[in-house]
Amino acid sequence: RKQFFNRFGQPISTFRQNDLVVVKISLSSTDGSPVENVVVTDLLPASFEIENPRLTEPRDMPWIQAPTVPDHFDIRDDRISYYTTATSESKTFYYMVRVITKGTFTLGPVSADAMYSGDFRSYSGGGKVKVD
């Protein structure tokens, strides 16, 4: 599941150009059994640009408690992917995006797919995003 927050940890649903937005993605196994080799992919609207944590200094956001460290992550222009194992305990990933362009854009869903077992998958969210 996906949620948007401002830098102070308050949930947001409206976006303005040049906003820094924290994206929270949560993952857990619904039946409690572990599912290995899961890729969690978040498709971004064209108005969002990922703040690459490999290139920028970490920002001080004390409200983010115990973020999950993925086995691996991959950043592309239009998406971010986390590789992990889904368990009954919820895993939470955070990343930041900068809102760069005004307009109305398509927001892709966040997906979780077991890479080697097509029986395990989840898709959530999607829709439209308006940037003022």
Side-chain angles (χ1 to χ4, degrees):
R1 303 300 174 252
K2 176 171 37 180
Q3 295 175 290
F4 298 105
F5 297 91
N6 65 16
R7 65 178 68 221
F8 305 108
Q10 300 159 333
I12 58 173
S13 59
T14 59
F15 305 96
R16 290 189 331 260
Q17 189 175 22
N18 205 33
D19 279 353
L20 181 66
V21 177
V22 179
V23 182
K24 174 184 173 185
I25 298 176
S26 302
L27 169 73
S28 65
S29 171
T30 56
D31 67 358
S33 63
V35 181
E36 296 180 343
N37 301 310
V38 174
V39 59
V40 179
T41 302
D42 190 16
L43 297 171
L44 300 172
S47 62
F48 287 5
E49 185 175 89
I50 295 173
E51 298 263 311
N52 191 333
R54 295 176 180 142
L55 301 176
T56 60
E57 289 292 320
R59 298 185 187 268
D60 185 29
M61 295 189 191
W63 61 270
I64 295 177
Q65 300 293 318
T68 302
V69 177
D71 297 333
H72 177 72
F73 70 97
D74 183 43
I75 297 174
R76 302 294 168 135
D77 286 339
D78 66 340
R79 71 192 68 206
I80 188 165
S81 297
Y82 293 103
Y83 300 86
T84 190
T85 298
T87 61
S88 60
E89 183 179 318
S90 182
K91 294 187 175 192
T92 307
F93 304 99
Y94 296 91
Y95 69 97
M96 288 176 275
V97 296
R98 178 76 58 187
V99 181
I100 57 171
T101 308
K102 291 181 181 183
T104 302
F105 303 91
T106 300
L107 175 67
V110 62
S111 65
D113 295 288
M115 293 186 288
Y116 305 111
S117 178
D119 296 336
F120 299 103
R121 63 193 170 281
S122 175
Y123 304 97
S124 175
K128 297 285 183 184
V129 176
K130 183 172 188 221
V131 177
D132 297 321

